Amino acid sequence: QVQLVESGGGLVQAGGSLRLSCAASGRTFSSFAMGWFRPAPGQEREFVAAISWNGGRTAYADSVKGRFTISRDNSKNTVYLLMSSLKPGDTAVYYCASRVTTVVPITDSGYNYWGQGTQVTVSS
């Protein structure tokens, strides 16, 4: 069993920044690919960003590319999402997800463990 706990959400003005964290426990974190998702119209969860088990590969949704940066610290069992130049359209609950895999899944079906989410609200 894997437990994921997100933190770092909050209220920020448009153009501002936030850093989300996702702490993992229960299995060897360094074997997980990690992803971030958020709800979107017509989708249960929209892909935001993902990172491979060793941090060597990353992937981003076109809507966040150049604004968001995903990273991980395997010594702290934590993955981060640095969100910059935030827009009101980024307002959502952000979920982190994990799976033991060597690939970098970019769909929610590619993950089998999920956190409870952290709310991000961007005001205009």
Side-chain angles (χ1 to χ4, degrees):
Q1 189 70 16
V2 174
Q3 293 80 42
L4 302 174
V5 179
E6 301 95 334
S7 62
L11 174 63
V12 64
Q13 288 189 331
S17 299
L18 279 176
R19 190 180 77 160
L20 306 184
S21 300
C22 174
S25 62
R27 289 191 64 176
T28 305
F29 180 73
S30 60
S31 62
F32 300 158
M34 301 294 295
W36 287 96
F37 289 79
R38 64 189 183 188
Q43 303 178 53
E44 184 174 353
R45 298 185 183 105
E46 171 191 47
F47 170 72
V48 175
I51 190 167
S52 62
W53 64 277
N54 63 353
R57 288 169 287 155
T58 57
Y60 296 92
D62 287 342
S63 59
V64 307
K65 200 171 294 183
R67 300 189 298 122
F68 290 10
T69 303
I70 189 170
S71 62
R72 66 190 296 158
D73 185 341
N74 286 352
S75 70
K76 296 181 178 180
N77 288 1
T78 301
V79 65
Y80 305 99
L81 185 68
L82 176 61
M83 305 185 295
S84 303
S85 301
L86 282 162
K87 306 174 182 179
D90 295 317
T91 294
V93 177
Y94 284 73
Y95 298 90
C96 73
S98 71
R99 185 185 184 105
V100 176
T101 179
T102 57
V103 301
V104 183
I106 61 170
T107 62
D108 57 357
S109 60
Y111 295 88
N112 50 8
Y113 295 103
W114 294 85
Q116 294 300 305
T118 185
Q119 176 70 47
V120 172
T121 303
V122 184
S123 62
S124 57

